[in-house]
Amino acid sequence: MNNKIKLYKQEIDNIYSSGKHLKSSYVKLIFLKNDLNINRIVFSIKKQSANAVQRNKIKRRIKSIICRNQTINGFDMVIGVFPEIKLASFEDLEKDLKKIIAKLVIM
């Protein structure tokens, strides 16, 4: 695995401390511009909000939406989810994330 792709604890702490925050009905996005031409993503999903199968499904859905939307590149992101995301359909989640990504592109 290429070490430039992995986010280390110190980098994640830096994203939390100096990154910008965007919030929607299903996710909270904390992001910081990086020097790479790729996005590095960390998920923050509490164990109390979903079991392992549901957490992995949420991660797959979000990764899929971000990969399909190629308008953003070069960001380190921490994506936190709210418990309501379990009830959201893929289309609702996609609309919600596209709104956040549009705001991210403007910033």
Side-chain angles (χ1 to χ4, degrees):
M1 183 163 148
N2 189 352
N3 287 337
K4 291 195 174 222
I5 295 174
K6 184 176 180 182
L7 277 168
Y8 293 97
K9 178 152 179 39
Q10 183 179 11
E11 293 172 316
I12 294 170
D13 291 340
N14 187 30
I15 295 169
Y16 274 112
S17 64
S18 59
K20 296 184 180 182
H21 298 251
L22 292 174
K23 192 174 175 181
S24 70
S25 54
Y26 298 120
V27 297
K28 179 179 182 182
L29 177 68
I30 306 167
F31 64 94
L32 193 61
K33 188 80 173 149
N34 65 26
D35 296 332
L36 308 171
N37 198 22
I38 58 171
N39 294 323
R40 300 187 299 176
I41 302 171
V42 174
F43 291 96
S44 175
I45 304 173
K46 293 183 178 181
K47 285 186 179 181
Q48 294 87 3
S49 62
N51 63 28
V53 174
Q54 291 171 330
R55 290 193 304 268
N56 288 331
K57 182 179 179 182
I58 291 166
K59 289 183 217 177
R60 283 194 312 269
R61 285 179 165 189
I62 294 173
K63 284 180 192 176
S64 170
I65 293 167
I66 291 175
C67 287
R68 287 167 55 180
N69 190 351
Q70 295 294 329
T71 58
I72 57 171
N73 275 327
F75 286 98
D76 293 336
M77 296 182 248
V78 176
I79 300 175
V81 301
F82 298 122
E84 297 82 25
I85 199 167
K86 290 190 300 187
L87 305 174
S89 68
F90 184 80
E91 292 79 20
D92 293 339
L93 183 59
E94 188 171 26
K95 275 190 231 175
D96 197 49
L97 279 174
K98 281 187 178 183
K99 287 180 190 175
I100 283 193
I101 291 171
K103 289 180 187 176
L104 179 66
V105 171
I106 292 171
M107 295 179 130

